[in-house]
Amino acid sequence: MTVTALAHQVRVLAAPGDRHDEILTPAALDFVGRLAAAFGERRQELLKERRRQAIRLATGSPFDFPLVTSAVRADPTWRVAPPAPGLTDRRVEITGPPDRRTAVGALTSGAQVWMADFEDATAPTWDNVVGGQLCLLDAVECRIDLTAPDGGDHRLGERSRPATVVVRPRGWHLLEEHLEYDRRPVPASLVDFGLYFFHCAQRQIDAGHGPYFYLPKLENRYEARLWNDVFVLAQELLGIPRGTVRATVLIETITAAVEMEEILYELREHSSGLNAGRWDYLFSLIKTFGHRTDFLLPDRAKVTMTAPFMRAYTELLVHTCHKRGAHAIGSMAAEVPGREPAAREAALAKVRLDKEREAEDGFDGSWVAHPGLVPVCREVFDGVLGERPHQIDRTRDDVEVTAADLLCVRRISGPPTPEGVRTNIAVALRYFAAWLRGQGAVALDGLMEDAATAEIARVQIWQWLRHRVVDRETVLRLLDDELAAVGAAYPWAPLDEVRELFERNALAAELPLFFTPDACARHLVRNATVGVGS
């Protein structure tokens, strides 16, 4: 591939911050600019195709496995790349934003992998974006120790086997308004990927691992192909051997569920498996089919992983991954174990049941959101795996899943409870308030909430209103009540902005695809930075 000189440079449209110059070097910005120049237009076309596909499905086009790629699914000969160093044993993966305190806790938690999350667990303020990159650079350089405001020490220390770092960049749908290339914002995914890859790829290789990623919100094989091409160019530009990158794709959209094999195939030289992203998957299902009365779902707490359509999704994922030699990683355990003994034991028992189901179904590992859940997840997977690093040899040839199985919600369909309506409003409002303050992962009522759970909360309110199983007056009354509670709990919360964000993203006639672009725009205006586009 011939790489030509850039006609335009990447411009930083934000005030400099502490140590920002270590990340936003001319060479690093030039690297991000080259990625934007090479792939920006393709990204735009794929986002247009997302909208076209959504319209087709909403107007009755059949939902099925693609006929045109049947030969890929039928070919028994191809496999993904073998596991990369540090990604062979993935029985416990812990997730969290790339801040210093989270990093130390995650790296020393005993988990095999830390998923450093710029996507759902990070409110993308400019300080959080650049600070997250600094945190990762410091982690790679083993200089991440810190003293917290409460005086507590948080240290990486001399631990011989810290967790392997895997970075989740933001999705294709988001822009980074603080960086401009060719007079347009740079795709946020290329910013998060590009800055980390430029600064840390070779450092990770030298440390015995490599540049590893989680890819969010993919909807089809073409989006996976785009990421693969990004990896190829990035490796070429920095002189890193092709195939060094590894990426695990989160299957968290309903359209990706029928293209799992194709996604693995497109990424096969860079693939490290698939993950079952349960909350975004439910969000996608409602967003895609929520206009239909037969897709009316009850309270979020009642839609468990044992529901038939969710079982179909996870069993298909395990079968698909193991058929192609890839890891299958289970869903998030979002419980935050508290200090009160009875509540703590109840939370751990719930997590144990969830992880036992996953391990027995054939998953090779799973996600937790809190270091306190690492031991129970490890114990469960140790009990199934023993000394083996994974169970990829268990191909689950007994699994047969049709597209209809993935949409079979009728056994659990139904209206919400009053408490379910109130809970969704409360979660969305509290999360929006924290997000606007720059916090992307929030512990609420014993659960770690992030953008994915806020999405499912607000889209369910929209769906219940659309099908008139909840009346608008009730929602507005609960909105007033819960806003007052937010104001009492968070005196700093901008209640008018929180309310407007909720109304625009949960009460509008047409459902916005994501709340985050709107929230980003408000944050920019609030902080008197640059204007926002989409």
Side-chain angles (χ1 to χ4, degrees):
M1 181 182 296
T2 301
V3 180
T4 58
L6 290 177
H8 306 277
Q9 293 183 334
V10 172
R11 296 177 59 223
V12 180
L13 304 179
D18 183 38
R19 297 182 62 201
H20 282 201
D21 58 321
E22 295 181 39
I23 297 299
L24 304 174
T25 64
L29 293 174
D30 182 75
F31 180 74
V32 171
R34 291 180 186 279
L35 298 180
F39 303 111
E41 289 187 12
R42 270 178 67 186
R43 168 192 170 270
Q44 289 279 26
E45 287 303 313
L46 289 175
L47 292 179
K48 291 178 183 177
E49 176 55 28
R50 283 187 180 185
R51 292 189 283 271
R52 289 191 289 264
Q53 175 70 344
I55 292 171
R56 287 193 291 266
L57 291 173
T59 54
S61 291
F63 173 79
D64 209 341
F65 295 87
L67 181 62
V68 69
T69 54
S70 57
V72 171
R73 297 192 300 276
D75 182 354
T77 62
W78 65 269
R79 295 287 187 276
V80 304
L87 291 180
T88 301
D89 187 333
R90 303 173 62 182
R91 66 189 68 199
V92 187
E93 301 194 349
I94 189 168
T95 74
D99 61 63
R100 300 182 75 82
R101 184 166 186 168
T102 300
V104 173
L107 291 168
T108 61
S109 66
Q112 277 71 29
V113 169
W114 171 40
M115 195 275 283
D117 188 12
F118 284 96
E119 170 77 350
D120 287 340
T122 296
T125 66
W126 187 233
D127 280 344
N128 283 349
V129 169
V130 183
Q133 296 288 342
L134 282 164
C135 174
L136 292 171
L137 178 59
D138 287 348
V140 174
E141 295 284 350
C142 295
R143 58 188 187 203
I144 197 74
D145 300 351
L146 65 87
T147 299
D150 61 7
D153 286 332
H154 302 273
R155 302 190 180 282
L156 189 58
E158 299 299 322
R159 187 178 181 88
S160 59
R161 292 186 60 192
T164 299
V165 176
V166 180
V167 173
R168 175 159 71 165
R170 284 168 283 176
W172 285 126
H173 61 292
L174 292 170
L175 294 169
E176 179 46 71
E177 302 289 343
H178 298 91
L179 292 180
E180 180 182 270
Y181 173 75
D182 198 16
R183 300 183 179 180
R184 290 180 291 183
V186 179
S189 51
L190 298 181
V191 174
D192 298 340
F193 165 81
L195 291 176
Y196 175 72
F197 190 88
F198 182 85
H199 289 292
C200 297
Q202 189 60 54
R203 286 179 166 94
Q204 288 284 34
I205 295 166
D206 294 343
H209 288 168
Y212 305 145
F213 299 91
Y214 258 105
L215 305 181
K217 309 289 191 292
L218 268 62
E219 298 203 4
N220 54 56
R221 61 193 180 276
Y222 302 111
E223 296 180 17
R225 184 181 301 169
L226 175 56
W227 267 119
N228 197 71
D229 290 346
V230 170
F231 298 156
V232 170
L233 178 59
Q235 290 165 132
E236 179 179 318
L237 288 173
L238 296 191
I240 290 172
R242 179 165 171 160
T244 302
V245 172
R246 289 289 191 278
T248 305
V249 173
L250 292 113
I251 300 299
E252 50 189 356
T253 64
I254 186 65
T255 51
V258 290
E259 295 195 31
M260 292 187 197
E261 285 195 76
E262 291 87 340
I263 287 169
L264 288 176
Y265 182 81
E266 294 294 343
L267 286 159
R268 59 195 181 280
E269 66 177 332
H270 297 116
S271 177
S272 55
L274 304 176
N275 170 280
R278 69 171 80 184
W279 295 124
D280 268 311
Y281 187 76
L282 282 173
F283 166 53
S284 172
L285 182 76
I286 298 173
K287 187 167 59 173
T288 306
F289 296 107
H291 60 285
R292 291 169 43 175
T293 56
D294 54 334
F295 279 85
L296 182 66
L297 293 179
D299 298 2
R300 172 169 63 125
K302 293 184 177 181
V303 186
T304 68
M305 298 303 287
T306 61
F309 74 101
M310 295 299 281
R311 291 285 290 160
Y313 152 64
T314 55
E315 292 200 317
L316 177 63
L317 191 149
V318 172
H319 170 61
T320 300
C321 285
H322 291 183
K323 176 182 177 183
R324 302 304 180 179
H327 281 81
I329 307 300
S331 300
M332 171 76 78
E335 284 75 10
V336 177
R339 296 182 179 179
E340 198 279 316
R344 181 181 180 85
E345 288 306 311
L348 293 177
K350 185 176 180 181
V351 172
R352 181 180 295 277
L353 285 174
D354 188 48
K355 300 312 171 191
E356 285 176 347
R357 173 191 51 78
E358 290 181 330
E360 291 165 3
D361 281 351
F363 280 96
D364 303 292
S366 193
W367 275 13
V368 299
H370 190 278
L373 302 181
V374 170
V376 67
C377 186
R378 173 185 288 278
E379 182 182 341
V380 168
F381 277 90
D382 283 351
V384 171
L385 297 179
E387 296 299 317
R388 296 177 298 156
H390 50 68
Q391 50 183 334
I392 291 175
D393 59 334
R394 190 177 168 207
T395 55
R396 290 301 309 274
D397 294 331
D398 58 304
V399 172
E400 294 183 9
V401 173
T402 66
D405 294 331
L406 296 170
L407 301 183
C408 187
V409 304
R410 59 182 176 80
R411 293 187 189 178
I412 66 161
S413 62
T417 66
E419 185 57 33
V421 178
R422 181 181 288 276
T423 296
N424 275 11
I425 293 172
V427 166
L429 293 177
R430 282 162 172 76
Y431 185 79
F432 290 167
W435 200 99
L436 290 172
R437 201 186 192 203
Q439 184 178 0
V442 187
L444 298 173
D445 299 324
L447 294 174
M448 188 63 73
E449 307 285 4
D450 63 10
T453 52
E455 291 285 26
I456 187 66
R458 64 102 182 175
V459 77
Q460 282 201 302
I461 295 295
W462 176 87
Q463 185 190 39
W464 294 335
L465 285 170
R466 179 184 176 90
H467 294 298
R468 296 184 173 86
V469 295
V470 176
D471 62 81
R472 192 176 183 89
E473 291 71 23
T474 297
V475 170
L476 291 175
R477 175 176 54 79
L478 292 173
L479 177 58
D480 288 337
D481 291 347
E482 293 303 321
L483 268 176
V486 170
Y490 307 150
W492 43 262
L495 297 184
D496 289 344
E497 292 180 56
V498 172
R499 182 187 190 100
E500 189 175 356
L501 188 59
F502 182 87
E503 289 178 342
R504 286 168 61 95
N505 287 278
L507 306 186
E510 295 297 323
L511 180 71
L513 295 179
F514 298 94
F515 84 83
T516 41
D518 188 14
C520 285
R522 291 171 187 282
H523 198 279
L524 285 168
V525 171
R526 215 163 148 256
N527 289 277
T529 57
V530 296
V532 68
S534 62

